[in-house]
Amino acid sequence: MPDIPWSTPTRPAPGDEVYVMASRFETASLTGALRFFLKSPGIVLQMRKAPGAHGVALRARVLRRTFLTLSAWEDRAALYRFAGSEPHRSSARSAAAYTKEAGFVFWTVPASELPISWAEAERRLAEQARKQEQKEKEREKEKES
């Protein structure tokens, strides 16, 4: 499946810091992946119109049931306003029923570093997953003690 490449709805001022989010979703089934994929263009369009959005991209691997998102925002509040607005809010709630795993990572960068590369987003997501896995192992050890 083709990616939806990085687009810049509004350009930040050159000296600004931007709030970046990368996410990874894996669906439990191919049907779930198709549902996710079919809703994606509408959500990307919503992001492109969202106040405070400075960048958005999607990497869809439908047959692998995996989706990556990458976005840049004026600040955390702009991202949260978008996430709580329709149609994203309803789509996210319905996607929970067919999502096997989800991971999110957030960081800030100077506006001059946009667009963020997929390699950087995937590196950060993998690092976050490793940290989460380590925490889960530590909790399991504590339970066994």
Side-chain angles (χ1 to χ4, degrees):
M1 282 292 151
D3 296 343
I4 296 176
W6 184 268
S7 64
T8 305
T10 58
R11 293 203 183 280
D16 285 356
E17 285 272 317
V18 296
Y19 190 71
V20 178
M21 183 197 79
S23 64
R24 180 184 182 280
F25 299 93
E26 182 180 338
T27 64
S29 67
L30 188 54
T31 301
L34 291 172
R35 287 181 183 160
F36 194 104
F37 181 70
L38 291 173
K39 293 206 180 240
S40 296
I43 302 303
V44 169
L45 182 61
Q46 179 191 4
M47 290 174 86
R48 288 178 178 164
K49 295 178 180 178
H54 293 313
V56 57
L58 172 75
R59 179 163 277 179
R61 301 297 181 256
V62 177
L63 296 178
R64 293 184 197 161
R65 305 181 335 269
T66 304
F67 300 84
L68 301 173
T69 71
L70 184 54
S71 59
W73 300 87
E74 169 180 286
D75 54 25
R76 184 186 331 196
L79 169 61
Y80 287 2
R81 280 191 304 275
F82 160 76
S85 65
E86 294 299 337
H88 181 271
R89 182 175 55 194
S90 296
S91 292
R93 285 185 180 154
S94 65
Y98 50 83
T99 298
K100 179 180 175 183
E101 285 182 21
F104 303 87
V105 65
F106 307 89
W107 71 99
T108 58
V109 298
S112 60
E113 292 185 19
L114 294 180
I116 303 298
S117 71
W118 280 116
E120 178 65 9
E122 290 182 273
R123 182 190 70 75
R124 287 176 181 265
L125 284 162
E127 183 179 309
Q128 180 72 14
R130 280 191 298 276
K131 287 178 183 178
Q132 186 64 32
E133 188 176 306
Q134 184 61 36
K135 284 181 186 179
E136 289 172 12
K137 285 180 181 178
E138 289 171 5
R139 276 184 246 161
E140 285 300 314
K141 283 184 181 180
E142 288 177 8
K143 285 181 184 178
E144 292 172 359
S145 307

Short mmCIF file of all heavy atoms in Angstrom, two decimals, residues 54-115:
data_model
loop_
_atom_site.label_atom_id
_atom_site.label_comp_id
_atom_site.label_asym_id
_atom_site.label_seq_id
_atom_site.Cartn_x
_atom_site.Cartn_y
_atom_site.Cartn_z
N HIS A 54 1.23 21.02 11.97
CA HIS A 54 2.37 21.43 11.15
C HIS A 54 2.89 20.32 10.25
O HIS A 54 3.78 20.55 9.44
CB HIS A 54 3.52 21.92 12.05
CG HIS A 54 3.21 23.17 12.78
ND1 HIS A 54 2.64 24.29 12.19
CD2 HIS A 54 3.38 23.50 14.08
CE1 HIS A 54 2.50 25.24 13.09
NE2 HIS A 54 2.93 24.79 14.25
N GLY A 55 2.36 19.12 10.38
CA GLY A 55 2.78 18.04 9.51
C GLY A 55 2.05 16.76 9.83
O GLY A 55 1.66 16.52 10.97
N VAL A 56 1.86 15.94 8.79
CA VAL A 56 1.17 14.67 8.97
C VAL A 56 1.60 13.70 7.88
O VAL A 56 1.82 14.10 6.73
CB VAL A 56 -0.37 14.85 8.95
CG1 VAL A 56 -0.84 15.50 7.68
CG2 VAL A 56 -1.08 13.53 9.16
N ALA A 57 1.76 12.43 8.26
CA ALA A 57 2.08 11.37 7.32
C ALA A 57 1.55 10.05 7.86
O ALA A 57 1.35 9.89 9.07
CB ALA A 57 3.59 11.28 7.10
N LEU A 58 1.32 9.11 6.96
CA LEU A 58 0.83 7.78 7.33
C LEU A 58 1.59 6.74 6.54
O LEU A 58 1.81 6.90 5.33
CB LEU A 58 -0.67 7.66 7.02
CG LEU A 58 -1.27 6.26 7.17
CD1 LEU A 58 -1.44 5.90 8.63
CD2 LEU A 58 -2.60 6.17 6.44
N ARG A 59 1.97 5.69 7.22
CA ARG A 59 2.59 4.53 6.56
C ARG A 59 1.65 3.35 6.82
O ARG A 59 1.47 2.93 7.97
CB ARG A 59 3.97 4.28 7.14
CG ARG A 59 4.65 3.08 6.52
CD ARG A 59 6.12 3.09 6.81
NE ARG A 59 6.74 3.96 5.80
CZ ARG A 59 8.04 4.22 5.76
NH1 ARG A 59 8.84 3.71 6.66
NH2 ARG A 59 8.53 5.00 4.82
N ALA A 60 1.04 2.84 5.77
CA ALA A 60 0.05 1.75 5.88
C ALA A 60 0.63 0.47 5.31
O ALA A 60 1.01 0.43 4.14
CB ALA A 60 -1.22 2.14 5.13
N ARG A 61 0.66 -0.56 6.13
CA ARG A 61 1.09 -1.89 5.71
C ARG A 61 -0.08 -2.83 6.00
O ARG A 61 -0.07 -3.58 6.97
CB ARG A 61 2.36 -2.33 6.45
CG ARG A 61 3.56 -1.40 6.24
CD ARG A 61 3.96 -1.39 4.77
NE ARG A 61 5.11 -0.53 4.50
CZ ARG A 61 5.05 0.66 3.94
NH1 ARG A 61 3.88 1.17 3.58
NH2 ARG A 61 6.13 1.36 3.69
N VAL A 62 -1.11 -2.72 5.15
CA VAL A 62 -2.38 -3.40 5.40
C VAL A 62 -2.19 -4.91 5.53
O VAL A 62 -2.72 -5.52 6.46
CB VAL A 62 -3.42 -3.05 4.31
CG1 VAL A 62 -4.71 -3.82 4.53
CG2 VAL A 62 -3.69 -1.55 4.31
N LEU A 63 -1.47 -5.52 4.62
CA LEU A 63 -1.31 -6.98 4.69
C LEU A 63 -0.53 -7.43 5.92
O LEU A 63 -0.71 -8.54 6.38
CB LEU A 63 -0.66 -7.51 3.40
CG LEU A 63 -1.50 -7.29 2.14
CD1 LEU A 63 -0.76 -7.80 0.91
CD2 LEU A 63 -2.87 -7.95 2.27
N ARG A 64 0.29 -6.55 6.46
CA ARG A 64 1.00 -6.84 7.71
C ARG A 64 0.17 -6.40 8.92
O ARG A 64 0.61 -6.56 10.06
CB ARG A 64 2.35 -6.13 7.75
CG ARG A 64 3.32 -6.65 6.73
CD ARG A 64 4.64 -5.95 6.91
NE ARG A 64 5.47 -6.12 5.74
CZ ARG A 64 6.49 -5.36 5.44
NH1 ARG A 64 6.84 -4.36 6.23
NH2 ARG A 64 7.19 -5.57 4.35
N ARG A 65 -0.96 -5.74 8.64
CA ARG A 65 -1.88 -5.24 9.67
C ARG A 65 -1.24 -4.18 10.56
O ARG A 65 -1.56 -4.05 11.74
CB ARG A 65 -2.43 -6.40 10.52
CG ARG A 65 -3.09 -7.50 9.72
CD ARG A 65 -3.65 -8.64 10.56
NE ARG A 65 -3.06 -8.85 11.84
CZ ARG A 65 -2.04 -9.67 12.10
NH1 ARG A 65 -1.48 -10.37 11.14
NH2 ARG A 65 -1.57 -9.81 13.34
N THR A 66 -0.32 -3.40 9.98
CA THR A 66 0.43 -2.42 10.75
C THR A 66 0.34 -1.04 10.10
O THR A 66 0.45 -0.91 8.89
CB THR A 66 1.91 -2.84 10.84
OG1 THR A 66 1.98 -4.15 11.40
CG2 THR A 66 2.72 -1.89 11.70
N PHE A 67 0.17 -0.03 10.95
CA PHE A 67 0.05 1.35 10.51
C PHE A 67 0.91 2.23 11.40
O PHE A 67 0.93 2.06 12.61
CB PHE A 67 -1.41 1.83 10.61
CG PHE A 67 -2.35 1.02 9.78
CD1 PHE A 67 -2.88 -0.18 10.26
CD2 PHE A 67 -2.68 1.43 8.50
CE1 PHE A 67 -3.73 -0.94 9.48
CE2 PHE A 67 -3.53 0.66 7.72
CZ PHE A 67 -4.05 -0.52 8.21
N LEU A 68 1.60 3.16 10.78
CA LEU A 68 2.39 4.14 11.51
C LEU A 68 1.87 5.53 11.16
O LEU A 68 1.56 5.80 9.99
CB LEU A 68 3.87 4.07 11.11
CG LEU A 68 4.57 2.74 11.34
CD1 LEU A 68 5.97 2.78 10.74
CD2 LEU A 68 4.64 2.40 12.81
N THR A 69 1.76 6.36 12.16
CA THR A 69 1.40 7.75 11.91
C THR A 69 2.52 8.63 12.42
O THR A 69 3.25 8.27 13.34
CB THR A 69 0.08 8.16 12.59
OG1 THR A 69 0.27 8.24 14.00
CG2 THR A 69 -1.05 7.20 12.25
N LEU A 70 2.63 9.79 11.83
CA LEU A 70 3.64 10.75 12.22
C LEU A 70 3.02 12.13 12.05
O LEU A 70 2.45 12.43 10.99
CB LEU A 70 4.86 10.58 11.32
CG LEU A 70 6.09 11.42 11.58
CD1 LEU A 70 6.58 11.28 13.02
CD2 LEU A 70 7.20 11.03 10.61
N SER A 71 3.08 12.93 13.10
CA SER A 71 2.50 14.27 13.00
C SER A 71 3.30 15.25 13.84
O SER A 71 3.99 14.87 14.78
CB SER A 71 1.03 14.27 13.44
OG SER A 71 0.89 13.82 14.77
N ALA A 72 3.19 16.52 13.45
CA ALA A 72 3.86 17.61 14.18
C ALA A 72 2.82 18.69 14.46
O ALA A 72 1.99 18.99 13.59
CB ALA A 72 5.01 18.17 13.35
N TRP A 73 2.91 19.24 15.66
CA TRP A 73 1.89 20.16 16.15
C TRP A 73 2.51 21.40 16.78
O TRP A 73 3.63 21.35 17.29
CB TRP A 73 1.00 19.45 17.17
CG TRP A 73 0.34 18.25 16.58
CD1 TRP A 73 0.84 16.98 16.50
CD2 TRP A 73 -0.92 18.23 15.93
NE1 TRP A 73 -0.04 16.17 15.84
CE2 TRP A 73 -1.14 16.90 15.48
CE3 TRP A 73 -1.90 19.19 15.69
CZ2 TRP A 73 -2.29 16.52 14.80
CZ3 TRP A 73 -3.05 18.80 15.02
CH2 TRP A 73 -3.23 17.48 14.59
N GLU A 74 1.73 22.43 16.81
CA GLU A 74 2.12 23.68 17.46
C GLU A 74 2.50 23.42 18.93
O GLU A 74 3.47 23.97 19.43
CB GLU A 74 0.94 24.63 17.34
CG GLU A 74 0.96 25.88 18.10
CD GLU A 74 -0.32 26.64 17.82
OE1 GLU A 74 -0.43 27.21 16.73
OE2 GLU A 74 -1.21 26.65 18.69
N ASP A 75 1.71 22.58 19.59
CA ASP A 75 1.96 22.22 20.98
C ASP A 75 1.09 21.01 21.34
O ASP A 75 0.30 20.54 20.52
CB ASP A 75 1.69 23.39 21.94
CG ASP A 75 0.30 23.99 21.79
OD1 ASP A 75 -0.63 23.29 21.33
OD2 ASP A 75 0.13 25.17 22.14
N ARG A 76 1.26 20.52 22.54
CA ARG A 76 0.51 19.35 22.98
C ARG A 76 -1.00 19.62 22.97
O ARG A 76 -1.79 18.74 22.61
CB ARG A 76 0.94 18.93 24.39
CG ARG A 76 0.26 17.67 24.86
CD ARG A 76 0.53 17.30 26.29
NE ARG A 76 1.83 17.74 26.76
CZ ARG A 76 2.41 17.29 27.84
NH1 ARG A 76 1.83 16.37 28.56
NH2 ARG A 76 3.57 17.75 28.22
N ALA A 77 -1.38 20.82 23.36
CA ALA A 77 -2.81 21.16 23.39
C ALA A 77 -3.44 21.05 22.01
O ALA A 77 -4.58 20.57 21.88
CB ALA A 77 -3.01 22.56 23.96
N ALA A 78 -2.73 21.45 20.97
CA ALA A 78 -3.27 21.34 19.60
C ALA A 78 -3.49 19.89 19.23
O ALA A 78 -4.52 19.54 18.63
CB ALA A 78 -2.34 22.02 18.60
N LEU A 79 -2.54 19.03 19.58
CA LEU A 79 -2.70 17.59 19.31
C LEU A 79 -3.91 17.04 20.06
O LEU A 79 -4.73 16.32 19.48
CB LEU A 79 -1.44 16.82 19.71
CG LEU A 79 -1.55 15.30 19.74
CD1 LEU A 79 -1.91 14.73 18.36
CD2 LEU A 79 -0.26 14.68 20.25
N TYR A 80 -4.04 17.38 21.32
CA TYR A 80 -5.15 16.85 22.12
C TYR A 80 -6.50 17.38 21.63
O TYR A 80 -7.50 16.66 21.68
CB TYR A 80 -4.95 17.16 23.60
CG TYR A 80 -3.87 16.32 24.24
CD1 TYR A 80 -3.12 15.39 23.53
CD2 TYR A 80 -3.58 16.45 25.59
CE1 TYR A 80 -2.14 14.62 24.12
CE2 TYR A 80 -2.59 15.69 26.20
CZ TYR A 80 -1.88 14.77 25.45
OH TYR A 80 -0.92 14.01 26.04
N ARG A 81 -6.54 18.64 21.18
CA ARG A 81 -7.80 19.15 20.61
C ARG A 81 -8.19 18.35 19.38
O ARG A 81 -9.35 17.97 19.20
CB ARG A 81 -7.67 20.64 20.25
CG ARG A 81 -7.82 21.58 21.41
CD ARG A 81 -7.94 23.03 20.96
NE ARG A 81 -6.85 23.49 20.13
CZ ARG A 81 -5.69 23.96 20.60
NH1 ARG A 81 -5.48 24.04 21.90
NH2 ARG A 81 -4.75 24.35 19.77
N PHE A 82 -7.20 18.07 18.52
CA PHE A 82 -7.48 17.25 17.35
C PHE A 82 -7.96 15.86 17.77
O PHE A 82 -8.97 15.37 17.26
CB PHE A 82 -6.22 17.11 16.47
CG PHE A 82 -6.30 15.94 15.55
CD1 PHE A 82 -7.09 15.99 14.42
CD2 PHE A 82 -5.63 14.76 15.85
CE1 PHE A 82 -7.20 14.88 13.59
CE2 PHE A 82 -5.74 13.65 15.02
CZ PHE A 82 -6.53 13.72 13.89
N ALA A 83 -7.25 15.21 18.68
CA ALA A 83 -7.59 13.84 19.08
C ALA A 83 -9.00 13.75 19.67
O ALA A 83 -9.67 12.72 19.51
CB ALA A 83 -6.56 13.32 20.08
N GLY A 84 -9.45 14.81 20.31
CA GLY A 84 -10.77 14.79 20.92
C GLY A 84 -11.88 15.26 20.00
O GLY A 84 -13.04 15.30 20.41
N SER A 85 -11.55 15.61 18.77
CA SER A 85 -12.57 16.11 17.85
C SER A 85 -13.02 15.01 16.88
O SER A 85 -12.33 14.01 16.70
CB SER A 85 -12.05 17.33 17.10
OG SER A 85 -10.96 16.97 16.27
N GLU A 86 -14.16 15.23 16.28
CA GLU A 86 -14.71 14.26 15.32
C GLU A 86 -14.16 14.53 13.93
O GLU A 86 -13.93 15.69 13.59
CB GLU A 86 -16.23 14.34 15.32
CG GLU A 86 -16.88 13.89 16.60
CD GLU A 86 -16.59 12.43 16.98
OE1 GLU A 86 -16.26 11.63 16.10
OE2 GLU A 86 -16.70 12.11 18.16
N PRO A 87 -13.93 13.52 13.14
CA PRO A 87 -14.26 12.11 13.33
C PRO A 87 -13.18 11.29 14.04
O PRO A 87 -13.38 10.11 14.30
CB PRO A 87 -14.44 11.60 11.90
CG PRO A 87 -13.49 12.41 11.09
CD PRO A 87 -13.49 13.78 11.75
N HIS A 88 -12.04 11.91 14.40
CA HIS A 88 -10.97 11.15 15.02
C HIS A 88 -11.43 10.45 16.30
O HIS A 88 -11.14 9.27 16.51
CB HIS A 88 -9.75 12.02 15.32
CG HIS A 88 -8.63 11.25 15.93
ND1 HIS A 88 -8.52 11.08 17.29
CD2 HIS A 88 -7.60 10.57 15.37
CE1 HIS A 88 -7.46 10.33 17.54
NE2 HIS A 88 -6.88 10.01 16.39
N ARG A 89 -12.11 11.16 17.17
CA ARG A 89 -12.50 10.59 18.47
C ARG A 89 -13.31 9.30 18.28
O ARG A 89 -12.99 8.27 18.86
CB ARG A 89 -13.30 11.60 19.28
CG ARG A 89 -13.67 11.04 20.65
CD ARG A 89 -14.35 12.06 21.53
NE ARG A 89 -15.51 12.62 20.85
CZ ARG A 89 -16.13 13.71 21.24
NH1 ARG A 89 -15.69 14.39 22.27
NH2 ARG A 89 -17.18 14.15 20.59
N SER A 90 -14.33 9.33 17.45
CA SER A 90 -15.16 8.13 17.23
C SER A 90 -14.38 7.03 16.53
O SER A 90 -14.52 5.84 16.87
CB SER A 90 -16.39 8.48 16.39
OG SER A 90 -17.21 9.36 17.10
N SER A 91 -13.54 7.40 15.57
CA SER A 91 -12.74 6.39 14.86
C SER A 91 -11.77 5.71 15.80
O SER A 91 -11.59 4.49 15.74
CB SER A 91 -11.97 7.04 13.71
OG SER A 91 -12.86 7.47 12.72
N ALA A 92 -11.14 6.47 16.69
CA ALA A 92 -10.20 5.89 17.64
C ALA A 92 -10.90 4.93 18.59
O ALA A 92 -10.39 3.85 18.90
CB ALA A 92 -9.48 6.99 18.41
N ARG A 93 -12.08 5.31 19.04
CA ARG A 93 -12.83 4.43 19.95
C ARG A 93 -13.23 3.13 19.26
O ARG A 93 -13.12 2.06 19.84
CB ARG A 93 -14.06 5.16 20.49
CG ARG A 93 -13.71 6.17 21.53
CD ARG A 93 -14.94 6.80 22.12
NE ARG A 93 -14.53 7.77 23.13
CZ ARG A 93 -15.24 8.80 23.49
NH1 ARG A 93 -16.43 9.01 22.94
NH2 ARG A 93 -14.81 9.62 24.40
N SER A 94 -13.70 3.22 18.02
CA SER A 94 -14.11 2.00 17.33
C SER A 94 -12.89 1.15 16.96
O SER A 94 -12.97 -0.07 16.97
CB SER A 94 -14.96 2.32 16.10
OG SER A 94 -14.21 3.00 15.13
N ALA A 95 -11.75 1.77 16.68
CA ALA A 95 -10.54 1.02 16.32
C ALA A 95 -10.02 0.20 17.50
O ALA A 95 -9.38 -0.83 17.30
CB ALA A 95 -9.46 1.96 15.83
N ALA A 96 -10.31 0.62 18.71
CA ALA A 96 -9.85 -0.11 19.89
C ALA A 96 -10.35 -1.56 19.88
O ALA A 96 -9.66 -2.46 20.36
CB ALA A 96 -10.30 0.59 21.16
N ALA A 97 -11.50 -1.79 19.28
CA ALA A 97 -12.08 -3.14 19.24
C ALA A 97 -11.27 -4.10 18.37
O ALA A 97 -11.30 -5.31 18.59
CB ALA A 97 -13.52 -3.08 18.75
N TYR A 98 -10.55 -3.59 17.39
CA TYR A 98 -9.80 -4.47 16.51
C TYR A 98 -8.29 -4.20 16.52
O TYR A 98 -7.55 -4.70 15.69
CB TYR A 98 -10.36 -4.45 15.07
CG TYR A 98 -10.56 -3.10 14.46
CD1 TYR A 98 -9.50 -2.42 13.87
CD2 TYR A 98 -11.81 -2.49 14.45
CE1 TYR A 98 -9.68 -1.18 13.29
CE2 TYR A 98 -12.00 -1.25 13.86
CZ TYR A 98 -10.93 -0.60 13.29
OH TYR A 98 -11.12 0.63 12.72
N THR A 99 -7.84 -3.42 17.50
CA THR A 99 -6.41 -3.14 17.63
C THR A 99 -5.78 -4.15 18.57
O THR A 99 -6.22 -4.33 19.70
CB THR A 99 -6.18 -1.70 18.14
OG1 THR A 99 -6.73 -0.80 17.18
CG2 THR A 99 -4.71 -1.42 18.32
N LYS A 100 -4.73 -4.80 18.09
CA LYS A 100 -3.99 -5.77 18.90
C LYS A 100 -2.97 -5.06 19.78
O LYS A 100 -2.82 -5.37 20.96
CB LYS A 100 -3.30 -6.77 17.97
CG LYS A 100 -2.49 -7.82 18.67
CD LYS A 100 -1.87 -8.76 17.65
CE LYS A 100 -0.94 -9.75 18.31
NZ LYS A 100 -0.29 -10.61 17.31
N GLU A 101 -2.23 -4.13 19.18
CA GLU A 101 -1.21 -3.36 19.90
C GLU A 101 -1.23 -1.93 19.41
O GLU A 101 -1.52 -1.67 18.25
CB GLU A 101 0.19 -3.91 19.60
CG GLU A 101 0.55 -5.18 20.27
CD GLU A 101 1.99 -5.60 19.93
OE1 GLU A 101 2.81 -4.73 19.52
OE2 GLU A 101 2.28 -6.78 20.07
N ALA A 102 -0.87 -1.03 20.31
CA ALA A 102 -0.72 0.38 19.94
C ALA A 102 0.43 0.95 20.74
O ALA A 102 0.61 0.62 21.92
CB ALA A 102 -2.00 1.16 20.21
N GLY A 103 1.22 1.77 20.10
CA GLY A 103 2.33 2.44 20.78
C GLY A 103 2.41 3.88 20.33
O GLY A 103 2.11 4.20 19.17
N PHE A 104 2.79 4.73 21.27
CA PHE A 104 2.88 6.16 21.00
C PHE A 104 4.17 6.71 21.59
O PHE A 104 4.59 6.27 22.65
CB PHE A 104 1.70 6.92 21.65
CG PHE A 104 0.37 6.42 21.22
CD1 PHE A 104 -0.25 5.36 21.89
CD2 PHE A 104 -0.30 7.00 20.16
CE1 PHE A 104 -1.48 4.90 21.49
CE2 PHE A 104 -1.54 6.54 19.76
CZ PHE A 104 -2.13 5.48 20.42
N VAL A 105 4.73 7.69 20.91
CA VAL A 105 5.90 8.38 21.44
C VAL A 105 5.78 9.85 21.07
O VAL A 105 5.27 10.19 19.99
CB VAL A 105 7.22 7.73 20.94
CG1 VAL A 105 7.38 7.86 19.45
CG2 VAL A 105 8.42 8.28 21.67
N PHE A 106 6.22 10.70 21.99
CA PHE A 106 6.08 12.15 21.83
C PHE A 106 7.44 12.81 22.12
O PHE A 106 8.15 12.37 23.02
CB PHE A 106 5.06 12.70 22.83
CG PHE A 106 3.74 12.00 22.78
CD1 PHE A 106 3.51 10.88 23.56
CD2 PHE A 106 2.73 12.46 21.96
CE1 PHE A 106 2.29 10.21 23.52
CE2 PHE A 106 1.50 11.81 21.91
CZ PHE A 106 1.29 10.68 22.69
N TRP A 107 7.75 13.85 21.37
CA TRP A 107 8.97 14.61 21.63
C TRP A 107 8.85 15.97 20.96
O TRP A 107 7.91 16.21 20.20
CB TRP A 107 10.21 13.83 21.17
CG TRP A 107 10.42 13.69 19.69
CD1 TRP A 107 11.27 14.45 18.91
CD2 TRP A 107 9.83 12.74 18.79
NE1 TRP A 107 11.24 14.01 17.61
CE2 TRP A 107 10.37 12.97 17.50
CE3 TRP A 107 8.91 11.70 18.94
CZ2 TRP A 107 10.00 12.21 16.38
CZ3 TRP A 107 8.54 10.95 17.84
CH2 TRP A 107 9.08 11.21 16.57
N THR A 108 9.77 16.86 21.26
CA THR A 108 9.78 18.17 20.63
C THR A 108 11.07 18.33 19.81
O THR A 108 12.10 17.74 20.14
CB THR A 108 9.68 19.32 21.65
OG1 THR A 108 10.78 19.23 22.56
CG2 THR A 108 8.37 19.27 22.41
N VAL A 109 10.96 19.10 18.75
CA VAL A 109 12.10 19.40 17.89
C VAL A 109 11.99 20.85 17.42
O VAL A 109 10.89 21.40 17.37
CB VAL A 109 12.19 18.47 16.65
CG1 VAL A 109 12.38 17.02 17.05
CG2 VAL A 109 11.00 18.65 15.75
N PRO A 110 13.10 21.43 17.03
CA PRO A 110 13.02 22.74 16.38
C PRO A 110 12.27 22.60 15.05
O PRO A 110 12.40 21.58 14.35
CB PRO A 110 14.48 23.11 16.13
CG PRO A 110 15.28 22.25 17.05
CD PRO A 110 14.48 20.99 17.23
N ALA A 111 11.50 23.59 14.69
CA ALA A 111 10.73 23.56 13.44
C ALA A 111 11.63 23.30 12.24
O ALA A 111 11.20 22.69 11.26
CB ALA A 111 9.97 24.86 13.27
N SER A 112 12.86 23.71 12.32
CA SER A 112 13.79 23.52 11.20
C SER A 112 14.08 22.05 10.92
O SER A 112 14.58 21.71 9.85
CB SER A 112 15.11 24.26 11.47
OG SER A 112 15.71 23.75 12.65
N GLU A 113 13.76 21.15 11.86
CA GLU A 113 13.99 19.72 11.66
C GLU A 113 12.84 19.00 10.95
O GLU A 113 12.92 17.80 10.70
CB GLU A 113 14.30 19.04 12.99
CG GLU A 113 15.63 19.46 13.56
CD GLU A 113 16.02 18.70 14.82
OE1 GLU A 113 15.45 17.61 15.06
OE2 GLU A 113 16.88 19.21 15.54
N LEU A 114 11.77 19.74 10.64
CA LEU A 114 10.66 19.12 9.92
C LEU A 114 11.02 19.03 8.44
O LEU A 114 11.70 19.90 7.93
CB LEU A 114 9.39 19.94 10.10
CG LEU A 114 8.82 20.00 11.51
CD1 LEU A 114 7.56 20.85 11.53
CD2 LEU A 114 8.54 18.62 12.08
N PRO A 115 10.56 18.02 7.75
CA PRO A 115 9.76 16.89 8.23
C PRO A 115 10.62 15.85 8.95
O PRO A 115 11.79 15.67 8.64
CB PRO A 115 9.16 16.31 6.96
CG PRO A 115 10.16 16.61 5.89
CD PRO A 115 10.78 17.94 6.29
#
